[in-house]
Amino acid sequence: MHDILADSYEAEGESMNSAVDESLKVFTKDIHPETGEWIIPEDEIKKRLDLRKKRIFTIDPKTAKDLDDALSVEQIEGSIYEIGVHIADVSYFVQ
């Protein structure tokens, strides 16, 4: 979980829920308090392409109501990199 947080959201030793900007706290209700991982039902995960092992970071501002725009960078070989542009389906979080 900590890989997706920028320094501006988290200080050393601070829990994610206490560091997240007030506008983003709506997303923290489904975060395991000890591991900091999202709690998402297995059946929901099976419906989607699981990219949790990739380093993907949001480009949305901290005032965003949803964190659905992101980029990723992966070294393919030597000086060849893949740049991923991710527009998330946030329907799981929208009620």
Side-chain angles (χ1 to χ4, degrees):
M1 183 63 193
H2 294 286
D3 286 349
I4 69 166
L5 296 174
D7 289 340
S8 64
Y9 291 112
E10 180 178 87
E12 187 67 33
E14 191 172 26
S15 74
M16 189 186 124
N17 286 349
S18 65
V20 173
D21 188 87
E22 196 61 38
S23 65
L24 299 178
K25 289 204 186 243
V26 67
F27 298 108
T28 64
K29 65 180 173 50
D30 294 327
I31 294 177
H32 191 282
E34 294 175 17
T35 65
E37 296 289 331
W38 292 104
I39 302 169
I40 299 175
E42 194 63 35
D43 62 323
E44 187 67 28
I45 292 170
K46 289 179 181 177
K47 296 178 194 175
R48 301 169 183 270
L49 177 61
D50 190 350
L51 299 174
R52 291 178 292 173
K53 300 285 185 204
K54 292 194 175 279
R55 184 165 301 259
I56 300 174
F57 50 94
T58 185
I59 57 173
D60 287 312
K62 69 180 190 176
T63 56
K65 297 297 182 203
D66 56 7
L67 302 178
D68 61 347
D69 303 313
L71 296 174
S72 64
V73 179
E74 185 175 345
Q75 185 175 17
I76 302 298
E77 173 183 329
S79 62
I80 300 173
Y81 290 84
E82 176 181 85
I83 308 297
V85 177
H86 308 269
I87 310 299
D89 171 8
V90 296
S91 61
Y92 173 79
F93 295 100
V94 178
Q95 298 188 15

